[in-house]
């Protein structure tokens, strides 16, 4: 069966307990496949995280850290290794067996060509030993989406994959299970960020302008399409920020435009320095970023946290009406591409500790400290 980012092999799921550092290091040295899914390791000098079995050149122990999940590694600022593809080891999410098996059953319908009518929720729930309602709750808690939205995302992924593999737009549309071309074009902005024809040409025609400016928190990269801000990155040097932008938008036409983005930069810096409150629908910082309905709920909740204050992932989950989705909230924070505009630095772990930040924990601490200082003036 063809594997994809949301399909799960029938293997034991990851344990929730991280082995001790010595055991982890020995497994990395042996490239021990038996530890895949039990922990992930990151390498400070390369900025990537890997599976224990990764065939890349062994790192020095001093540069290695160990993580209980890919989300933890990404929250600490590391990106997936392109060699071992650690996010494709789908035991990683620690999903319950019923949810992992349900994803497998749903996807089997697509892989067997039954794209118009994949297995029903009731049918899949019965096969995994749950009621339809219970399975839906498990999906929300563990994946952050209900089964229907999971299937929609899966259909979009099949469509994108077919276009990348060279299929015609028409073949990709019907092969993915869409009933008509109009259904794809109606949702193309959400599914692709561009029209299907443009995407099929490798992103030709999609244009992103960017600029970089200095700030009290290091360099700031602001990127935008004609619709709005596509990314706000924080970092230490322009070269690294530009590489991150190209990695996140590999098919787009990317061009530097310092003058044309001055208004966008002004809006971002207003948020960075607390001159304006965050808001997803603010006219001076319109957003053009892609996210699921669940991610948008989380991002909106983040903008409602007062400056200088924090909320745990669990508290945010309860705020959006999904009390068992703390892990999915953490993933939504980690995928935020608009730093500061969507203030994910105000989200913390269950203990209240600053558990990670794509742009560095030290920067997260400074942002919060400055917000509190302004509040106390």
């Amino acid at each position: 069966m063809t594997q994809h980012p949301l399909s799960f092999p029938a293997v034991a799921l990851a344990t929730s307990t991280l082995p001790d550092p010595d055991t982890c290091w020995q497994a990395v040295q042996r490239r021990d496949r038996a530890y895949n899914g039990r922990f992930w390791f990151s390498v400070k000098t390369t900025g990537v995280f890997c599976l224990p079995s990764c065939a890349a050149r062994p790192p020095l122990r001093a540069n290695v850290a160990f993580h209980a999940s890919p989300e933890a590694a990404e929250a600490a600022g590391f990106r997936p290794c392109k060699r071992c593809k650690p996010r494709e080891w789908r035991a990683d999410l620690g999903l319950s067996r019923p949810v992992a098996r349900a994803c497998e059953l749903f996807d089997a319908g697509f892989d067997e060509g039954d794209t118009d009518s994949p297995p029903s929720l009731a049918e899949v729930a019965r096969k995994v030993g749950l009621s339809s309602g219970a399975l839906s709750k498990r999906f929300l808690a563990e994946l952050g989406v209900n089964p229907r939205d999971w299937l929609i995302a899966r259909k979009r992924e099949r469509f994108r994959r077919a276009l990348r593999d060279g299929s015609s737009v028409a073949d990709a549309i019907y092969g993915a299970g869409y009933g008509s071309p109009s259904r794809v074009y109606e949702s193309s902005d959400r599914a692709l960020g561009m029209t299907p024809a443009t995407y099929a040409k490798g992103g030709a025609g999609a244009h992103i302008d960017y600029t970089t400016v200095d700030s009290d928190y290091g360099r700031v990269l602001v990127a935008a399409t004609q619709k709005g801000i596509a990314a706000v990155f924080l970092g230490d040097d322009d070269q690294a920020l530009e590489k991150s932008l190209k990695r996140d938008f590999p098919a787009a036409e990317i061009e530097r435009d310092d003058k044309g983005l001055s208004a966008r930069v002004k809006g971002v810096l207003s948020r960075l320095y607390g001159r304006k409150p965050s808001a997803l629908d603010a006219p001076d910082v319109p957003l053009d970023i892609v996210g699921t309905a669940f991610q948008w709920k989380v991002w909106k909740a983040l903008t409602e946290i007062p400056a200088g204050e924090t909320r745990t992932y669990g508290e945010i989950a309860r705020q959006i009406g999904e009390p068992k989705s703390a892990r999915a909230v953490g993933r939504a924070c980690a995928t935020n591409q608009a730093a500061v505009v969507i203030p994910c630095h105000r989200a913390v772990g269950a203990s209240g500790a600053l558990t990670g930040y794509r742009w560095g924990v030290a920067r997260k601490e400074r942002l919060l400290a400055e917000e509190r200082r302004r509040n106390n003036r």
Side-chain angles (χ1 to χ4, degrees), residues 61-342:
R61 176 65 182 90
N63 296 326
V64 172
F66 305 107
H67 310 274
S69 70
E71 288 75 24
E74 289 176 340
F78 296 93
R79 62 185 185 278
C81 170
K82 292 184 178 179
R83 185 162 189 168
C84 67
K85 296 179 172 59
R87 271 213 162 274
E88 293 185 14
W89 183 265
R90 299 319 296 175
D92 57 356
L93 294 179
L95 299 179
S96 64
R97 288 183 181 274
V99 171
R101 178 59 179 154
C103 290
E104 194 175 54
L105 290 170
F106 278 131
D107 198 59
F110 285 111
D111 288 325
E112 292 167 7
D114 187 17
T115 53
D116 288 321
S117 55
S120 68
L121 175 60
E123 179 184 356
V124 169
R126 178 178 55 79
K127 289 183 177 180
V128 302
L130 294 173
S131 68
S132 298
L135 182 58
S136 293
K137 289 180 180 178
R138 291 279 191 100
F139 262 70
L140 283 168
E142 298 177 31
L143 291 170
V145 294
N146 58 39
R148 178 180 176 276
D149 288 340
W150 187 91
L151 285 166
I152 290 172
R154 177 66 184 111
K155 186 181 292 186
R156 289 175 178 170
E157 174 56 29
R158 287 183 65 88
F159 178 54
R160 289 191 293 259
R161 179 150 45 106
L163 291 175
R164 288 196 300 267
D165 291 344
S167 297
S168 69
V169 172
D171 287 345
I173 286 172
Y174 293 109
Y178 289 103
S180 68
S182 63
R183 296 299 299 274
V184 182
Y185 282 86
E186 287 168 3
S187 62
S188 61
D189 284 347
R190 287 172 293 162
L192 304 172
M194 60 190 80
T195 68
T198 298
Y199 190 87
K201 295 175 183 176
H207 188 89
I208 295 177
D209 291 319
Y210 79 94
T211 187
T212 55
V213 296
D214 205 14
S215 77
D216 292 346
Y217 305 95
R219 299 295 289 174
V220 180
L221 180 147
V222 178
T225 65
Q226 288 185 336
K227 292 183 179 180
I229 291 173
V232 178
F233 296 166
L234 307 177
D236 297 321
D237 64 84
D238 287 7
Q239 186 177 9
L241 291 172
E242 289 165 359
K243 285 178 64 177
S244 294
L245 181 67
K246 291 174 182 177
R247 185 176 63 246
D248 284 5
F249 300 96
E253 177 188 339
I254 297 175
E255 183 178 359
R256 187 172 187 116
D257 183 0
D258 298 329
K259 184 177 180 180
L261 288 178
S262 58
R264 298 281 190 251
V265 170
K266 183 178 180 181
V268 170
L269 293 181
S270 290
R271 269 64 181 176
L272 185 64
Y273 293 121
R275 292 192 287 269
K276 289 187 177 181
S278 296
L280 288 183
D281 57 354
D284 61 326
V285 283
L287 293 175
D288 186 15
I289 58 178
V290 176
T292 66
F294 179 86
Q295 287 172 317
W296 280 104
K297 286 168 66 176
V298 173
W299 296 339
K300 183 175 185 298
L302 290 170
T303 67
E304 295 169 354
I305 301 173
E309 297 185 17
T310 60
R311 300 288 186 273
T312 66
Y313 298 139
E315 288 172 333
I316 295 170
R318 289 190 290 275
Q319 180 181 339
I320 65 174
E322 306 290 353
K324 295 183 180 180
S325 63
R327 181 175 295 178
V329 168
R331 287 197 292 272
C333 293
T335 56
N336 168 32
Q337 288 186 302
V340 183
V341 177
I342 299 175

